[in-house]
Amino acid sequence: MLTNKKALEPSLFGVLIQANSIYCGICLTEIELPEKCAFLGILRDSKVISVSDNPIIYAGDYILAIAIHPMMVPALKVTLKKIHSLYYSLNNCLLEARPTDKQFFNSDDAEFILPKESSSVYPD
């Protein structure tokens, strides 16, 4: 019989994978977990996919993991919630396109962006 029950309090939880997660598009087993932690699988569309199937991770998936010792829960959560520093998506780009010569520009910006037809901001 176990005498020290506090040492063995496993914590099971799921982490939602966001669109800007660094894990989108990679296989589950490619993630390096902290010690005393393990994957159970992925929850996708109300179906559990076992870690033994080594599924590819997509935005909207829940990674199911367990920390065998409660002290490792914060490290596991930090590991699984890593995101790109900027919003990142393979399908979208949120950066604005650079203005073209034909687009309207603010007079405050005139000293930085000059139309090709003119070399001065002041009329002749």
Side-chain angles (χ1 to χ4, degrees), residues 90-106:
L90 295 175
N91 299 327
N92 299 331
C93 179
L94 298 180
L95 299 175
E96 289 184 30
R98 292 185 179 179
T100 63
D101 292 339
K102 295 179 183 177
Q103 288 178 327
F104 174 78
F105 67 94
N106 189 327

Side-chain angles (χ1 to χ4, degrees), residues 77-91:
K77 285 184 180 181
V78 166
T79 298
L80 295 179
K81 291 184 176 186
K82 288 183 180 177
I83 59 172
H84 292 282
S85 57
L86 296 174
Y87 181 84
Y88 175 81
S89 172
L90 295 175
N91 299 327

Side-chain angles (χ1 to χ4, degrees), residues 21-121:
S21 170
I22 66 169
Y23 302 122
C24 284
I26 68 167
C27 293
L28 184 61
T29 57
E30 291 181 36
I31 301 173
E32 291 186 38
L33 291 179
E35 63 181 77
K36 298 189 181 196
C37 297
F39 289 118
L40 300 176
I42 288 179
L43 178 64
R44 179 184 298 150
D45 299 326
S46 302
K47 296 178 185 173
V48 176
I49 304 170
S50 172
V51 68
S52 62
D53 295 334
N54 196 19
I56 293 176
I57 301 165
Y58 296 105
D61 287 348
Y62 281 89
I63 294 180
L64 305 175
I66 188 168
I68 297 169
H69 193 282
M71 182 176 71
M72 298 309 295
V73 170
L76 181 57
K77 285 184 180 181
V78 166
T79 298
L80 295 179
K81 291 184 176 186
K82 288 183 180 177
I83 59 172
H84 292 282
S85 57
L86 296 174
Y87 181 84
Y88 175 81
S89 172
L90 295 175
N91 299 327
N92 299 331
C93 179
L94 298 180
L95 299 175
E96 289 184 30
R98 292 185 179 179
T100 63
D101 292 339
K102 295 179 183 177
Q103 288 178 327
F104 174 78
F105 67 94
N106 189 327
S107 62
D108 293 339
D109 298 331
E111 65 185 28
F112 303 108
I113 304 172
L114 294 176
K116 286 186 180 178
E117 301 88 358
S118 162
S119 60
S120 173
V121 258

